[in-house]
Amino acid sequence: MPLPTDPTTGGAAKHPAHPVRPVRLGVHGSPRLAAELVAAAGHDRRHVEFVPYDVADPFGPLRADEMDVLIVKYPLHEPDLAFSEPVLFDDRALILGAHHPLATRATVSVEEAADYDTFSCPGDFPPYVWDQVVPPRTPGGRPVRRVHPMTTVAEMVDLLARSTTVHLSFHSLKDILPRTSAPSRSTTCPRPPCPWPGAATPNSLVL
């Protein structure tokens, strides 16, 4: 089929270039690892929009077509969602207050973390995934006291700062924790890093 012609020049008509919509990439917590992922894939960062999502409803925006793809940290069992092989790894971390008895330790085991209260599954977050983030029992069989509701990062930090509660989380969360007068550092907790999206488990971040 011949191209339409421009009546003023007799040549092919020129159509204005349509801007390409950025890929909407869902992230929770720090965007740093997401940025590393985009760079490693060879994509122009300007063509990717980071879309924060609420941990209480992680898949809602994806199902509502408010994002195109979502970073997850464990395999899913959601019939309407597909996930890839692991593309990145995020070390596990135990987050706790600077005053905490474990705060000066060079290493912390999950068995030791089980001595303290931690957080329960938030909102519509899939319980089977939360069991990977904050397991109901340690590898040694000790129950994990998942008693505090997980709401916002600010409320989590406030509770950690005024109690001996701990949070079994990920090292990337360090990027969004508020700065305090106490030094922040990480200590290893002998569990494997988490592939994105992939498998499970805590380092340790002092607030």
Side-chain angles (χ1 to χ4, degrees), residues 66-89:
E66 296 170 359
M67 61 178 64
D68 302 303
V69 64
L70 171 71
I71 290 179
V72 297
K73 300 185 179 181
Y74 298 96
L76 303 178
H77 305 305
E78 307 295 317
D80 60 329
L81 301 179
F83 64 96
S84 72
E85 293 298 317
V87 294
L88 198 62
F89 289 83

